[in-house]
Structures are given as structure tokens and as C-alpha cells.
Amino acid sequence: MLGPAESGKTVYLASLFRRLAIPRPDIGFHVQLPPEKSTVLNRIYQQIASPGTWPDLTRTAAIDEWEFTCSVRTARNQTFSPFSIRYLDYSGEHLTELDERVEGAKRVYSRIAESEFLLVLVDGVKVLRFFDGDFRLADDLLLVFSHMMKSQAIVHFVITKWDVLAAAGHTLQAVMDCLMKHPDFKDGVETQLRNNPVSGGVRFIPVSSVGLDFAALGPDGRTMIKKGAFPTPLNVEVPFMAVLVDLFDARLKEMEKMAAPEGQWIAQRSQTLKWVRGVKDKLPLVQAVLRTAAAKSPLMRMMPDHMVDALGAYAERKVSAYGERLERDIAQLRGRMLQVASQKDALTALVALFDAKLAEFEAEHPGSHLIKGGTPWTTT
């Protein structure tokens, strides 16, 4: 999550968790955190929802990592947890006040470089000032773009505090047109669009962590004043739906590749098991051969009958134990393949749901999806 200071990363995190912690039919998956982590985010959300002050800005020294376990309930009423999302919460000053000597900054930069996707947060209040000719937002985002260009990740742009822009009567298309008039912003977006490793392109997604009627911009043009309503987060899950559709497609292809070698391994193990069972069937014949040999060989005659029987019994136990181990290995392999198939079904169902939700979102916000290989930009 790439966002300068005050862009709303922590509030977004708390609202996202609240939205996804409860299974909802329109989302298709829910998330879980360890109890101590859930408690922290619930407290932040309670502070957001209550009258009065907003949560404090994230301290520069504070870097928290949250790993959401994402679970899916299938049509057969089975629950699978096929993926997790790791979310790094940090002070936005690490992005805009570059200092690689700071240990925390090094950690943030490293995570940005290795991330599979980046969501660039664009502060809606600063966008509103952008309309009035205050271009400091572009200066902040220029530093964010420098990190973005070092990554091979999927990138989408998230316009935060959308309630402020909606209250001012702005549409997403108008916001995109306004931002793209700035040459630095336009070139940064189009470079990402050309270099995006996934053919899905780049999206602009408006979100409000609190909803359209929860707060209003104060007289100072910066402070959000709560109205006393209850938060109703808007579109907070859409960025993850957009990204996960891209990532799931890659993961499903990997799972298809994994299935073939494991199937071959099962065939090989089954063939070995067949050979072992054949050896076991021949053990009585082996014992008879030993006795015949004992009758003809002075050396073998020194071996009493009970030793021949013991040797045969020992060989039978070893062969049986090996056969049982092979059977367990085969059962585990088959179980893994069945689990992968079930997870694949769950992921496929999610992708279908997400595709439908994104189509609905695009119908409401036409032009929000910039396609790689298409016309980069058309202003209205």
C-alpha cells in the first residue's frame, strides 16, 4: 500500500478488516487475524466510528505487518483458506522523506520491491485542492512513483476519501482527467501501463473508508468533521478484488502445472507397490527354494529349519512395512491433489464473483480501467 502521510492507510486498513471480517454474500470471502491483531484493528475502527477525534497518525518508528487469512465457503458448505494477504502499515514519511539509513525505511523499501501488487493511495482531500491549482499532491506522488517503477508488481490507483470529492460533485472521470493533466502524473501512469507485467491494465478505484455521509470537510479545507452517522465503507474491497483476479489467474495456472507431476508420481509409486506385492506373494516360494538349497549345500545345511522360517518371516515383515508406507504415501498424494482441486474450485468461484463485481463497478465508473495495448488516455 503506497501512500504518503495522511493519505488514509491506517483508517483504510481498519475499515477493510471490518468489512471483510464477517462473511458477506456480495464479497465471497472473509478474513481472519490472530485475536490480538483483531483487537487492535477493532479499537481503531471504534475510534473512527465514535464522535470526536480520528486515530493518530502512524508514528515514523511504527511498522506493523498484518497477515489476513482469507477463507472461502464452497457450495458444499466446505471452508478453505487458499490464500493470505500481508499488509504493511507504516508512516507515509518513509516514502516522501527518503532516508535509506533509517532501518525502518529499509524494511519498507524492501517490502515494496518484493510485493506482488501495489495499491497507490491518492489522497482525496489533496485531489480536491489539485482542482484549485494546488499541485503538491503531484510532488508527493512523484516520490511514490520512484518506488513503483522499481517494482514488477501489479499496480492500481486508489482514490481515498471519496466522500469529499463526491460531496463536491466530482466524478471519477473528472478526477482522472484532472490528475492526468499534470505531465508527471500522466507519464508515470502511462509508463506503468506499458510495463505492467499483467495484461489486466491499470485501474482507478474511488473508495471511502467511512462512507459518503459520515463526515464533511471542515472550514480549514483539511480536517474531516464527523456528522454523527455510522460508517458505511464504500468500495474498500474493490481494489483487492481487482488485484486478486490477476493473481488468482497466475496461481491457477501454477496449480494446473503442479497436478501433472504429482499424478506421475502416484503412477510411479503405484507401480512400485505392485512390484512389492508381487515379491510378497513369492515369499513362500523363496522359503521352499532355501530349503531345497539347504538339502544340497553343506553350508546351507548348517542353517536350521527355524532359521529359514525366521528369515522368510523377517523378509515378509520388511516387504509388508514398505508396502504400507507406499500406500500411505499414495493416499497422501491423492489427498493433496483433491485438496488442490477443491481450492481451485473455491478460487474459480471467487474469480467469477469478482469479475461480476468488477463489471458492475466499471458500469458505474466507465473509463476507470485503462487497458494495456489500448488507447492510453482520452480526456473529456
Side-chain angles (χ1 to χ4, degrees), residues 203-261:
R203 297 178 189 271
F204 282 74
I205 303 170
V207 306
S208 173
S209 299
V210 293
L212 299 180
D213 299 314
F214 180 78
L217 193 62
D220 63 358
R222 295 187 58 183
T223 308
M224 298 297 295
I225 300 174
K226 299 177 183 179
K227 297 180 181 179
F230 194 79
T232 53
L234 174 70
N235 292 340
V236 291
E237 71 278 6
V238 173
F240 283 93
M241 289 184 170
V243 168
L244 291 172
V245 165
D246 293 336
L247 292 181
F248 285 175
D249 183 57
R251 291 297 177 271
L252 289 174
K253 290 177 182 177
E254 289 177 8
M255 292 165 85
E256 292 282 5
K257 292 177 183 177
M258 287 171 57

Side-chain angles (χ1 to χ4, degrees), residues 319-331:
V319 170
S320 295
Y322 184 60
E324 290 171 3
R325 190 162 65 249
L326 278 172
E327 287 179 344
R328 285 197 302 271
D329 288 347
I330 292 170

Side-chain angles (χ1 to χ4, degrees), residues 148-164:
M148 186 180 76
M149 296 305 171
K150 297 175 184 177
S151 169
Q152 297 298 313
I154 301 165
V155 176
H156 296 308
F157 294 87
V158 178
I159 315 295
T160 65
K161 306 173 188 176
W162 186 252
D163 42 317
V164 173

Side-chain angles (χ1 to χ4, degrees), residues 60-374:
T60 304
I63 299 177
D64 296 314
E65 185 166 316
W66 311 79
E67 183 159 357
F68 297 97
T69 299
C70 302
S71 299
V72 182
R73 186 178 294 276
T74 68
R76 296 181 179 179
N77 206 30
Q78 295 174 297
T79 299
F80 297 95
S81 300
F83 65 96
S84 63
I85 297 171
R86 282 187 293 168
Y87 184 116
L88 197 71
D89 192 26
Y90 57 90
S91 170
E93 293 173 357
H94 285 311
L95 297 180
T96 54
E97 299 178 15
L98 302 177
D99 189 350
E100 295 190 2
R101 296 169 298 176
V102 178
E103 193 61 35
K106 291 180 181 178
R107 183 181 171 193
V108 172
Y109 303 158
S110 174
R111 282 297 304 276
I112 291 171
E114 69 186 24
S115 289
E116 292 181 279
F117 63 88
L118 299 173
L119 299 178
V120 179
L121 265 64
V122 183
D123 187 338
V125 172
K126 291 181 180 178
V127 172
L128 192 64
R129 296 204 293 268
F130 204 90
F131 273 97
D132 296 329
D134 182 344
F135 301 131
R136 281 176 290 182
L137 171 64
D139 297 333
D140 284 347
L141 289 177
L142 182 65
L143 297 172
V144 172
F145 280 14
S146 70
H147 291 287
M148 186 180 76
M149 296 305 171
K150 297 175 184 177
S151 169
Q152 297 298 313
I154 301 165
V155 176
H156 296 308
F157 294 87
V158 178
I159 315 295
T160 65
K161 306 173 188 176
W162 186 252
D163 42 317
V164 173
L165 291 163
H170 295 299
T171 64
L172 180 60
Q173 184 68 57
V175 168
M176 294 168 70
D177 289 344
C178 180
L179 292 174
M180 294 295 280
K181 286 177 182 175
H182 194 288
D184 292 343
F185 192 90
K186 182 176 186 290
D187 290 342
V189 171
E190 292 186 352
T191 298
Q192 177 58 35
L193 187 61
R194 286 193 301 271
N195 297 337
N196 195 324
V198 178
S199 61
V202 174
R203 297 178 189 271
F204 282 74
I205 303 170
V207 306
S208 173
S209 299
V210 293
L212 299 180
D213 299 314
F214 180 78
L217 193 62
D220 63 358
R222 295 187 58 183
T223 308
M224 298 297 295
I225 300 174
K226 299 177 183 179
K227 297 180 181 179
F230 194 79
T232 53
L234 174 70
N235 292 340
V236 291
E237 71 278 6
V238 173
F240 283 93
M241 289 184 170
V243 168
L244 291 172
V245 165
D246 293 336
L247 292 181
F248 285 175
D249 183 57
R251 291 297 177 271
L252 289 174
K253 290 177 182 177
E254 289 177 8
M255 292 165 85
E256 292 282 5
K257 292 177 183 177
M258 287 171 57
E262 291 204 339
Q264 293 169 6
W265 195 8
I266 286 178
Q268 292 168 1
R269 292 265 169 157
S270 297
Q271 189 65 30
T272 304
L273 182 58
K274 183 179 179 181
W275 176 82
V276 168
R277 285 172 175 164
V279 170
K280 184 176 178 181
D281 291 340
K282 292 180 176 64
L283 282 175
L285 177 61
V286 172
Q287 288 175 314
V289 169
L290 285 173
R291 287 194 176 90
T292 302
K296 297 179 180 179
S297 167
L299 180 63
M300 293 297 290
R301 276 200 297 270
M302 295 174 62
M303 183 181 290
D305 284 347
H306 67 270
M307 288 188 66
V308 174
D309 293 337
L311 178 61
Y314 173 77
E316 185 173 356
R317 284 199 306 274
K318 293 289 285 185
V319 170
S320 295
Y322 184 60
E324 290 171 3
R325 190 162 65 249
L326 278 172
E327 287 179 344
R328 285 197 302 271
D329 288 347
I330 292 170
Q332 289 174 358
L333 281 168
R334 284 189 175 135
R336 283 219 315 260
M337 290 186 70
L338 287 174
Q339 183 181 15
V340 166
S342 298
Q343 288 185 353
K344 179 182 174 182
D345 290 344
L347 290 175
T348 302
L350 269 184
V351 170
L353 175 61
F354 289 176
D355 278 339
K357 292 290 290 184
L358 290 173
E360 182 181 324
F361 173 83
E362 289 174 30
E364 185 177 353
H365 300 285
S368 62
H369 191 190
L370 308 184
I371 304 296
K372 182 176 182 179

